[in-house]
Amino acid sequence: MSESFQNLPALITQGFTPPLRLADFRIAAFDMDSTLINIECIDEIAAAAGKKAEVAAITEAAMRGEITDFKDSLRRRLALLKGVPRSALEQVLTERLQFNPGARELCAALKGAGLKLLLVSGGFTFFTRFVAAELGMDYVRSNELAFDATGALTGGLVMQPWGEICDGEEKRRMLLACCAEIGADASTQAIAVGDGANDLPMMGAAALSVAYCAKPKVREQAMVAINSGGLDSLLTVLR
């Protein structure tokens, strides 16, 4: 969360009058990196290869919407990670990854109110499995890193039944698919929370879009922008 928020109000709402009824919602979709957790996992993996600055610059441009082809940006970053050992990823998971303030509290409150939780990430299953288990996610969609026989990254991804890369359109499609499965209408019963440009498609499909410490393009389009404090401050909008 490198974006400066010093001159912004802690919480901004636009396009509606809070509070909204929590009971009216059925599902909440969350991005992972820099939203539920404090890091961009791919940038931290890159640190092990001595290429953090190069990879982080591409990540930042993609999240700001300056690189519009997320799939291409991800492939470019992955190519730079070829040869990084699995142990480096394990170190990121155990030593660098932390939940953002209020993430546990918000997810617990939403689950307690009967909402289904969806984790949709342009990041990797190596990390989403842990995050999903910790927060009680009901659905998960993310990318599967490919390893060679020695346990090092190949610089590519594993093809999954739904496809290879979870980009913005796949996040939106997954939200709509989960809504269909539970008999919900995304446009009236879904919440979507993210920070980057690749979150905008799912946020646009949801009844309530929430930007958390987000890039300017995302803050401008979200119905709620949380610029400081915890994710659980969203609960001041939902009663």
Side-chain angles (χ1 to χ4, degrees), residues 11-22 25 208 223-225 233-239:
L11 190 147
I12 301 171
T13 61
Q14 54 188 2
F16 72 100
T17 302
L20 299 175
R21 278 170 32 94
L22 182 55
F25 295 94
L208 178 62
M223 296 170 69
V224 177
S233 62
L234 179 61
L235 296 173
T236 64
V237 176
L238 300 168
R239 300 289 174 82

PDB file of all heavy atoms in Angstrom, residues 11-22 25 208 223-225 233-239:
ATOM      1  N   LEU A  11     -12.789   7.603   5.224  1.00  0.00           N
ATOM      2  CA  LEU A  11     -13.822   6.825   4.538  1.00  0.00           C
ATOM      3  C   LEU A  11     -14.698   7.770   3.722  1.00  0.00           C
ATOM      4  O   LEU A  11     -15.179   8.779   4.241  1.00  0.00           O
ATOM      5  CB  LEU A  11     -14.651   6.025   5.542  1.00  0.00           C
ATOM      6  CG  LEU A  11     -15.622   4.992   4.968  1.00  0.00           C
ATOM      7  CD1 LEU A  11     -15.740   3.795   5.906  1.00  0.00           C
ATOM      8  CD2 LEU A  11     -17.012   5.589   4.741  1.00  0.00           C
ATOM      9  N   ILE A  12     -14.866   7.456   2.456  1.00  0.00           N
ATOM     10  CA  ILE A  12     -15.671   8.264   1.545  1.00  0.00           C
ATOM     11  C   ILE A  12     -16.780   7.390   0.976  1.00  0.00           C
ATOM     12  O   ILE A  12     -16.538   6.248   0.571  1.00  0.00           O
ATOM     13  CB  ILE A  12     -14.825   8.804   0.379  1.00  0.00           C
ATOM     14  CG1 ILE A  12     -13.676   9.668   0.904  1.00  0.00           C
ATOM     15  CG2 ILE A  12     -15.677   9.597  -0.595  1.00  0.00           C
ATOM     16  CD1 ILE A  12     -12.670  10.054  -0.161  1.00  0.00           C
ATOM     17  N   THR A  13     -17.991   7.904   0.946  1.00  0.00           N
ATOM     18  CA  THR A  13     -19.094   7.194   0.299  1.00  0.00           C
ATOM     19  C   THR A  13     -19.666   8.092  -0.793  1.00  0.00           C
ATOM     20  O   THR A  13     -19.732   9.303  -0.644  1.00  0.00           O
ATOM     21  CB  THR A  13     -20.208   6.839   1.297  1.00  0.00           C
ATOM     22  OG1 THR A  13     -20.744   8.031   1.864  1.00  0.00           O
ATOM     23  CG2 THR A  13     -19.687   5.952   2.410  1.00  0.00           C
ATOM     24  N   GLN A  14     -20.051   7.470  -1.899  1.00  0.00           N
ATOM     25  CA  GLN A  14     -20.641   8.229  -2.994  1.00  0.00           C
ATOM     26  C   GLN A  14     -21.638   7.356  -3.749  1.00  0.00           C
ATOM     27  O   GLN A  14     -21.456   6.152  -3.889  1.00  0.00           O
ATOM     28  CB  GLN A  14     -19.564   8.734  -3.959  1.00  0.00           C
ATOM     29  CG  GLN A  14     -18.640   7.668  -4.511  1.00  0.00           C
ATOM     30  CD  GLN A  14     -17.486   8.278  -5.294  1.00  0.00           C
ATOM     31  OE1 GLN A  14     -17.328   9.478  -5.406  1.00  0.00           O
ATOM     32  NE2 GLN A  14     -16.661   7.414  -5.870  1.00  0.00           N
ATOM     33  N   GLY A  15     -22.715   7.969  -4.199  1.00  0.00           N
ATOM     34  CA  GLY A  15     -23.711   7.252  -4.988  1.00  0.00           C
ATOM     35  C   GLY A  15     -24.802   6.595  -4.172  1.00  0.00           C
ATOM     36  O   GLY A  15     -25.697   5.963  -4.723  1.00  0.00           O
ATOM     37  N   PHE A  16     -24.754   6.730  -2.841  1.00  0.00           N
ATOM     38  CA  PHE A  16     -25.799   6.165  -1.989  1.00  0.00           C
ATOM     39  C   PHE A  16     -25.747   6.851  -0.632  1.00  0.00           C
ATOM     40  O   PHE A  16     -24.785   7.544  -0.308  1.00  0.00           O
ATOM     41  CB  PHE A  16     -25.638   4.654  -1.828  1.00  0.00           C
ATOM     42  CG  PHE A  16     -24.463   4.267  -0.957  1.00  0.00           C
ATOM     43  CD1 PHE A  16     -24.646   3.917   0.366  1.00  0.00           C
ATOM     44  CD2 PHE A  16     -23.171   4.267  -1.467  1.00  0.00           C
ATOM     45  CE1 PHE A  16     -23.572   3.578   1.171  1.00  0.00           C
ATOM     46  CE2 PHE A  16     -22.089   3.926  -0.681  1.00  0.00           C
ATOM     47  CZ  PHE A  16     -22.296   3.581   0.635  1.00  0.00           C
ATOM     48  N   THR A  17     -26.778   6.635   0.153  1.00  0.00           N
ATOM     49  CA  THR A  17     -26.838   7.210   1.503  1.00  0.00           C
ATOM     50  C   THR A  17     -26.714   6.087   2.522  1.00  0.00           C
ATOM     51  O   THR A  17     -27.603   5.246   2.633  1.00  0.00           O
ATOM     52  CB  THR A  17     -28.176   7.950   1.723  1.00  0.00           C
ATOM     53  OG1 THR A  17     -28.306   8.972   0.735  1.00  0.00           O
ATOM     54  CG2 THR A  17     -28.213   8.561   3.105  1.00  0.00           C
ATOM     55  N   PRO A  18     -25.588   6.022   3.253  1.00  0.00           N
ATOM     56  CA  PRO A  18     -25.449   4.976   4.271  1.00  0.00           C
ATOM     57  C   PRO A  18     -26.330   5.285   5.469  1.00  0.00           C
ATOM     58  O   PRO A  18     -26.735   6.437   5.664  1.00  0.00           O
ATOM     59  CB  PRO A  18     -23.960   5.055   4.628  1.00  0.00           C
ATOM     60  CG  PRO A  18     -23.565   6.457   4.304  1.00  0.00           C
ATOM     61  CD  PRO A  18     -24.416   6.867   3.145  1.00  0.00           C
ATOM     62  N   PRO A  19     -26.635   4.264   6.312  1.00  0.00           N
ATOM     63  CA  PRO A  19     -26.150   2.896   6.165  1.00  0.00           C
ATOM     64  C   PRO A  19     -27.027   2.052   5.241  1.00  0.00           C
ATOM     65  O   PRO A  19     -28.197   2.374   5.023  1.00  0.00           O
ATOM     66  CB  PRO A  19     -26.219   2.365   7.600  1.00  0.00           C
ATOM     67  CG  PRO A  19     -27.403   3.085   8.183  1.00  0.00           C
ATOM     68  CD  PRO A  19     -27.372   4.456   7.580  1.00  0.00           C
ATOM     69  N   LEU A  20     -26.424   0.985   4.730  1.00  0.00           N
ATOM     70  CA  LEU A  20     -27.160  -0.009   3.970  1.00  0.00           C
ATOM     71  C   LEU A  20     -27.480  -1.189   4.888  1.00  0.00           C
ATOM     72  O   LEU A  20     -26.808  -1.403   5.894  1.00  0.00           O
ATOM     73  CB  LEU A  20     -26.313  -0.507   2.788  1.00  0.00           C
ATOM     74  CG  LEU A  20     -25.902   0.553   1.764  1.00  0.00           C
ATOM     75  CD1 LEU A  20     -24.967  -0.062   0.727  1.00  0.00           C
ATOM     76  CD2 LEU A  20     -27.118   1.164   1.092  1.00  0.00           C
ATOM     77  N   ARG A  21     -28.488  -1.955   4.514  1.00  0.00           N
ATOM     78  CA  ARG A  21     -28.873  -3.110   5.331  1.00  0.00           C
ATOM     79  C   ARG A  21     -27.987  -4.305   4.985  1.00  0.00           C
ATOM     80  O   ARG A  21     -28.006  -4.789   3.853  1.00  0.00           O
ATOM     81  CB  ARG A  21     -30.336  -3.473   5.081  1.00  0.00           C
ATOM     82  CG  ARG A  21     -31.342  -2.631   5.851  1.00  0.00           C
ATOM     83  CD  ARG A  21     -32.766  -2.863   5.386  1.00  0.00           C
ATOM     84  NE  ARG A  21     -33.026  -4.210   4.918  1.00  0.00           N
ATOM     85  CZ  ARG A  21     -33.530  -5.209   5.680  1.00  0.00           C
ATOM     86  NH1 ARG A  21     -33.806  -4.990   6.949  1.00  0.00           N
ATOM     87  NH2 ARG A  21     -33.757  -6.388   5.158  1.00  0.00           N
ATOM     88  N   LEU A  22     -27.219  -4.764   5.964  1.00  0.00           N
ATOM     89  CA  LEU A  22     -26.366  -5.924   5.749  1.00  0.00           C
ATOM     90  C   LEU A  22     -27.190  -7.136   5.341  1.00  0.00           C
ATOM     91  O   LEU A  22     -26.755  -7.971   4.541  1.00  0.00           O
ATOM     92  CB  LEU A  22     -25.562  -6.229   7.023  1.00  0.00           C
ATOM     93  CG  LEU A  22     -24.562  -7.387   6.969  1.00  0.00           C
ATOM     94  CD1 LEU A  22     -23.574  -7.203   5.831  1.00  0.00           C
ATOM     95  CD2 LEU A  22     -23.830  -7.501   8.305  1.00  0.00           C
ATOM     96  N   PHE A  25     -27.622  -8.271   1.616  1.00  0.00           N
ATOM     97  CA  PHE A  25     -26.534  -8.840   0.822  1.00  0.00           C
ATOM     98  C   PHE A  25     -26.395 -10.342   1.061  1.00  0.00           C
ATOM     99  O   PHE A  25     -26.654 -10.846   2.142  1.00  0.00           O
ATOM    100  CB  PHE A  25     -25.219  -8.124   1.143  1.00  0.00           C
ATOM    101  CG  PHE A  25     -25.223  -6.674   0.727  1.00  0.00           C
ATOM    102  CD1 PHE A  25     -25.583  -5.681   1.632  1.00  0.00           C
ATOM    103  CD2 PHE A  25     -24.899  -6.312  -0.568  1.00  0.00           C
ATOM    104  CE1 PHE A  25     -25.607  -4.348   1.250  1.00  0.00           C
ATOM    105  CE2 PHE A  25     -24.915  -4.985  -0.964  1.00  0.00           C
ATOM    106  CZ  PHE A  25     -25.278  -4.003  -0.058  1.00  0.00           C
ATOM    107  N   LEU A 208     -22.491  -3.168  -4.222  1.00  0.00           N
ATOM    108  CA  LEU A 208     -21.684  -2.278  -3.394  1.00  0.00           C
ATOM    109  C   LEU A 208     -20.215  -2.512  -3.714  1.00  0.00           C
ATOM    110  O   LEU A 208     -19.695  -3.613  -3.509  1.00  0.00           O
ATOM    111  CB  LEU A 208     -21.943  -2.534  -1.908  1.00  0.00           C
ATOM    112  CG  LEU A 208     -21.120  -1.687  -0.925  1.00  0.00           C
ATOM    113  CD1 LEU A 208     -21.427  -0.196  -1.097  1.00  0.00           C
ATOM    114  CD2 LEU A 208     -21.385  -2.122   0.517  1.00  0.00           C
ATOM    115  N   MET A 223     -18.028   2.923  -4.691  1.00  0.00           N
ATOM    116  CA  MET A 223     -19.078   3.546  -3.892  1.00  0.00           C
ATOM    117  C   MET A 223     -18.590   3.879  -2.488  1.00  0.00           C
ATOM    118  O   MET A 223     -19.053   4.841  -1.869  1.00  0.00           O
ATOM    119  CB  MET A 223     -20.293   2.624  -3.832  1.00  0.00           C
ATOM    120  CG  MET A 223     -20.943   2.379  -5.184  1.00  0.00           C
ATOM    121  SD  MET A 223     -22.185   1.069  -5.132  1.00  0.00           S
ATOM    122  CE  MET A 223     -23.447   1.873  -4.136  1.00  0.00           C
ATOM    123  N   VAL A 224     -17.650   3.066  -1.990  1.00  0.00           N
ATOM    124  CA  VAL A 224     -17.030   3.320  -0.692  1.00  0.00           C
ATOM    125  C   VAL A 224     -15.518   3.258  -0.878  1.00  0.00           C
ATOM    126  O   VAL A 224     -15.002   2.301  -1.464  1.00  0.00           O
ATOM    127  CB  VAL A 224     -17.451   2.282   0.369  1.00  0.00           C
ATOM    128  CG1 VAL A 224     -16.737   2.538   1.698  1.00  0.00           C
ATOM    129  CG2 VAL A 224     -18.957   2.281   0.573  1.00  0.00           C
ATOM    130  N   ALA A 225     -14.808   4.264  -0.377  1.00  0.00           N
ATOM    131  CA  ALA A 225     -13.348   4.254  -0.389  1.00  0.00           C
ATOM    132  C   ALA A 225     -12.858   4.331   1.052  1.00  0.00           C
ATOM    133  O   ALA A 225     -13.133   5.304   1.752  1.00  0.00           O
ATOM    134  CB  ALA A 225     -12.804   5.421  -1.201  1.00  0.00           C
ATOM    135  N   SER A 233     -13.978  -1.028   9.004  1.00  0.00           N
ATOM    136  CA  SER A 233     -14.711   0.226   9.015  1.00  0.00           C
ATOM    137  C   SER A 233     -15.844   0.209   8.007  1.00  0.00           C
ATOM    138  O   SER A 233     -16.757   1.046   8.077  1.00  0.00           O
ATOM    139  CB  SER A 233     -13.781   1.410   8.738  1.00  0.00           C
ATOM    140  OG  SER A 233     -13.200   1.319   7.464  1.00  0.00           O
ATOM    141  N   LEU A 234     -15.845  -0.754   7.089  1.00  0.00           N
ATOM    142  CA  LEU A 234     -16.972  -0.926   6.169  1.00  0.00           C
ATOM    143  C   LEU A 234     -18.254  -1.204   6.954  1.00  0.00           C
ATOM    144  O   LEU A 234     -19.356  -0.878   6.489  1.00  0.00           O
ATOM    145  CB  LEU A 234     -16.697  -2.079   5.196  1.00  0.00           C
ATOM    146  CG  LEU A 234     -17.811  -2.395   4.190  1.00  0.00           C
ATOM    147  CD1 LEU A 234     -18.098  -1.204   3.285  1.00  0.00           C
ATOM    148  CD2 LEU A 234     -17.449  -3.618   3.355  1.00  0.00           C
ATOM    149  N   LEU A 235     -18.123  -1.758   8.132  1.00  0.00           N
ATOM    150  CA  LEU A 235     -19.293  -2.093   8.940  1.00  0.00           C
ATOM    151  C   LEU A 235     -20.023  -0.849   9.446  1.00  0.00           C
ATOM    152  O   LEU A 235     -21.165  -0.946   9.897  1.00  0.00           O
ATOM    153  CB  LEU A 235     -18.891  -2.992  10.115  1.00  0.00           C
ATOM    154  CG  LEU A 235     -18.333  -4.365   9.701  1.00  0.00           C
ATOM    155  CD1 LEU A 235     -17.802  -5.116  10.915  1.00  0.00           C
ATOM    156  CD2 LEU A 235     -19.394  -5.194   8.986  1.00  0.00           C
ATOM    157  N   THR A 236     -19.392   0.327   9.335  1.00  0.00           N
ATOM    158  CA  THR A 236     -20.101   1.551   9.676  1.00  0.00           C
ATOM    159  C   THR A 236     -21.080   1.944   8.573  1.00  0.00           C
ATOM    160  O   THR A 236     -21.969   2.757   8.791  1.00  0.00           O
ATOM    161  CB  THR A 236     -19.128   2.717   9.911  1.00  0.00           C
ATOM    162  OG1 THR A 236     -18.432   3.012   8.685  1.00  0.00           O
ATOM    163  CG2 THR A 236     -18.112   2.363  10.979  1.00  0.00           C
ATOM    164  N   VAL A 237     -20.893   1.364   7.385  1.00  0.00           N
ATOM    165  CA  VAL A 237     -21.782   1.611   6.247  1.00  0.00           C
ATOM    166  C   VAL A 237     -22.901   0.582   6.185  1.00  0.00           C
ATOM    167  O   VAL A 237     -23.975   0.829   5.640  1.00  0.00           O
ATOM    168  CB  VAL A 237     -20.962   1.594   4.930  1.00  0.00           C
ATOM    169  CG1 VAL A 237     -21.862   1.743   3.711  1.00  0.00           C
ATOM    170  CG2 VAL A 237     -19.923   2.700   4.950  1.00  0.00           C
ATOM    171  N   LEU A 238     -22.634  -0.593   6.761  1.00  0.00           N
ATOM    172  CA  LEU A 238     -23.583  -1.713   6.733  1.00  0.00           C
ATOM    173  C   LEU A 238     -24.116  -1.954   8.134  1.00  0.00           C
ATOM    174  O   LEU A 238     -23.354  -2.175   9.069  1.00  0.00           O
ATOM    175  CB  LEU A 238     -22.886  -2.984   6.231  1.00  0.00           C
ATOM    176  CG  LEU A 238     -22.291  -2.912   4.818  1.00  0.00           C
ATOM    177  CD1 LEU A 238     -21.401  -4.107   4.564  1.00  0.00           C
ATOM    178  CD2 LEU A 238     -23.424  -2.870   3.784  1.00  0.00           C
ATOM    179  N   ARG A 239     -25.419  -1.928   8.273  1.00  0.00           N
ATOM    180  CA  ARG A 239     -26.015  -2.144   9.603  1.00  0.00           C
ATOM    181  C   ARG A 239     -27.039  -3.288   9.559  1.00  0.00           C
ATOM    182  O   ARG A 239     -27.633  -3.531   8.528  1.00  0.00           O
ATOM    183  CB  ARG A 239     -26.743  -0.869  10.036  1.00  0.00           C
ATOM    184  CG  ARG A 239     -25.836   0.336  10.124  1.00  0.00           C
ATOM    185  CD  ARG A 239     -24.865   0.257  11.309  1.00  0.00           C
ATOM    186  NE  ARG A 239     -23.918   1.361  11.287  1.00  0.00           N
ATOM    187  CZ  ARG A 239     -24.163   2.584  11.752  1.00  0.00           C
ATOM    188  NH1 ARG A 239     -25.351   2.846  12.267  1.00  0.00           N
ATOM    189  NH2 ARG A 239     -23.247   3.516  11.722  1.00  0.00           N
TER     190      ARG A 239
END
